[in-house]
Amino acid sequence: MPETMTMNRRTLLKAGALAGGGLMLTATMPMLAKAATGASAAPATLNAYVSITPDNVITIVGKNPEIGQGIKTMLPMLIADEMDADWNQVRITQANFDPQKYGFQFAGGSFATPMNWLPMRQVGAATRQLLVATAAKRWGVDAASLRTDKGKVIDGSGRSLTYGELASEAATMPVPDPAQAQLKDPKDFTIIGRAIPGIDSPRIVRGEPIFGVDTQLPGMKYAAFERAPVFGAKFVSADLDAARAVPGVEDVIVMEGGDNPELLIDGVAVIANNWWIANQARKKLNVQWDNGQWASHSTAGYAAKAAEFFGQEPMTVLGESGDVKAAFASAAKTLEADYSYPFLAHAPMEPMNCTALMHPDGKVELWAPTQNPTAGAQGIATQLGIGQDKIAINMTRCGGGFGRRLTNDFMVQSAAIAAKKPGTPIQLIWSREDDIRSDFYRPAGWHRMRAALDANGKLVGLDNHFATFAKGGRVPMEASMTADEFPAKFVDNVRLGQSTMETRVPTGPLRAPRSNALSFVYQSFLDEIAHEQGRDLPALLLELLGDREPFPGTRGPFGEQPGFSPPRAKAVIEKAVAMSNFRTASEGRAKGFAFYFSHLGYFAEVVEASLNERKQVSVHNVWAAADVGSHVINPFGALNQVEGSIIDGIGQALSLAVEIEGGAAKQSNFHEYQLPRMPVTPKITVEFVPSNNAPTGMGEPALPPVIPALTNALAKLTGKRIRNLPIDTSQLA
């Protein structure tokens, strides 16, 4: 049986007439609406507005935020294909935030594809069925005798009617049940599987103002927000008059915040006629802060605390199987290695920004590049003490996100400032320094890994003591590790322990959260084990996976999610080895391998790298084998996502780190936080391994394996292990 994401209640369609003639369909998906709004009564109308005008133009609403992952193009493709629409006649518009209509509107977790694969197709199929029934009624024939093709209903004689010609009449017809609509045989797909450029790409190339920072409103003023460099510091005083004296400054306001960095924190808002003036004026504030206990925190201090933990038993055992102590006591050989990785900033090209307007009636309207408008609305409601029904969010295109825009502190700041200036639109823009020094970082982490091998070299025991962060005693998701982290279920004796230290450094999900760090640790250490056994990592992984059947699925927030499948993992491992000729190497180069399963995607990757005479790393080739289900909906967008993830991962491995000194982020701009540039980009070859499983998302699962594949290549090349990120090539000398 194919793996699917299922809904507990049926998708429903409603038909209505457009002004001036035509058809508008709304799709109701109650479980998604309930999850998004917390409602338990009547279902909400959401997700897929389909409208057809008499001139045969089909407009489909993209409900989710577009951050460059291509979802605004991909989701409408599902509807259009099942409709048998002519893609050249399709227009796509961006939805505003409306959880009563659209349910969850977010970009994160690579959830959009598995969550919408079936419901969106059902909407399209039911729409097609409605149009066929309308044509059958007009012609007085059996609907079963009709077919559809590129926006037309056609009978056996070749007579045809366009969807536009049928639209107004269809608006008066009974609407089919999408759950009962006949879906296409995949062999008949004409749009799904086509490489279609992003719908907004021409507008971006032309420089059209579609991003949040491009928002322009009559009478708009600009704001810069000065906040403490030290995380958790409180405002004491500032020279407000000095900032007010700068020509063009309209107002300077002390903003009193709280302890939750996801809402408003202490700061000073400078409002001016343009952002440059506001940003320059803030430099004259000379703010004094009470840094409190957090000013003593540093990356070095955290590392020292982790080393202290490693001399003790873990505070918590996340998971344990077998008899780990006995396995190590009887082992013929043991291996031990310490791994670490740093804080990382998101650094999307468009820095955080939001435009807000407090209307006279107490309602606040925002224009926001957000990945998670629901959380943004909740935060604003909490901060301003108003109901969410008084908040309207216009979702703009996001200039990148990578998880940063899942946290909406910038929206709360903008709304709080606008509330001080009712009737005046306020556009808050963060500087690049704000963006890097006030992030919700991918958390750093430290691991002491131990392995026990028996007399035959078999891996019989594995122990991981993980040092991570807590906030108020709670480990946030992005800093956590699960009890079944691979290969936990494939080794007889395993213990996964955890010790925590408190921090005030804000952390949050970054592309492939948790996986982007844990993959480096586990796949690197498994490569060490394989080397000790006298073989390579693919051979070890294939032995561990064995002939195991897929694990049972789990209940997730959007339905049943398939469990880990060893057969799918083996298929991509074998494919990557074959397509890269993994066991052959060019002079002066080495190939490293890694595999990872995350966000329902299976990726095996091989990196070919070398070192020049100055010990600079060059990545020449990356081969990626992927199983993301039965269909790659838009190969153009999918390839972009895989390539972008790989380049992103290489950049993280080679140079990216945020260091904490004196309770603040040391790095401030791209001269200190150097994102990957064109010379770093290798040749990337991607092959998809289809399987009989529902498709999954592509924004995240390609990133985790590339980092350990690179460090494993360097270990093979130099004989020395990279156990700390970013890569310090002086350790390879």
Side-chain angles (χ1 to χ4, degrees), residues 69 628 632-643 686 688 698:
Q69 83 282 39
V628 290
V632 176
I633 298 166
N634 185 354
F636 184 88
L639 184 61
N640 288 345
Q641 288 302 297
V642 175
E643 291 174 341
V686 182
F688 294 101
M698 297 291 295

Side-chain angles (χ1 to χ4, degrees), residues 588-622:
R589 300 181 181 184
K591 294 174 182 174
F593 175 91
F595 159 79
Y596 213 72
F597 167 70
S598 72
H599 298 81
L600 305 181
Y602 298 77
F603 274 79
E605 296 173 9
V606 174
V607 169
E608 183 181 52
S610 67
L611 285 173
N612 64 20
E613 63 279 359
R614 292 179 292 172
K615 297 297 179 183
Q616 294 172 321
V617 177
S618 293
V619 180
H620 305 281
N621 286 283
V622 177

Side-chain angles (χ1 to χ4, degrees), residues 62 244 295 340 423 525 725:
R244 289 192 182 108
S340 71
F525 190 58
L725 293 178

Side-chain angles (χ1 to χ4, degrees), residues 29 61 154 421 499 553-554:
M29 299 175 190
V61 175
I154 307 165
K421 310 291 287 186
S499 296
T554 58

Side-chain angles (χ1 to χ4, degrees), residues 309 312-316 465-469 497-501:
F309 287 152
Q312 308 164 3
E313 288 294 300
M315 294 179 180
T316 304
H465 187 171
F466 175 32
T468 188
F469 296 104
Q498 176 179 278
S499 296
T500 61
M501 59 191 104

Side-chain angles (χ1 to χ4, degrees), residues 508-557:
L510 183 144
R511 195 175 201 172
R514 299 190 301 197
S515 301
N516 54 39
L518 296 176
S519 61
F520 162 64
V521 174
Y522 275 94
Q523 291 291 301
S524 297
F525 190 58
L526 286 170
D527 193 64
E528 291 197 50
I529 294 169
H531 180 75
E532 186 64 32
Q533 295 172 329
R535 54 180 171 173
D536 55 34
L537 180 55
L540 171 59
L541 294 178
L542 291 173
E543 179 189 90
L544 289 173
L545 293 165
D547 296 323
R548 296 281 293 271
E549 294 297 315
F551 287 84
T554 58
R555 188 71 185 169

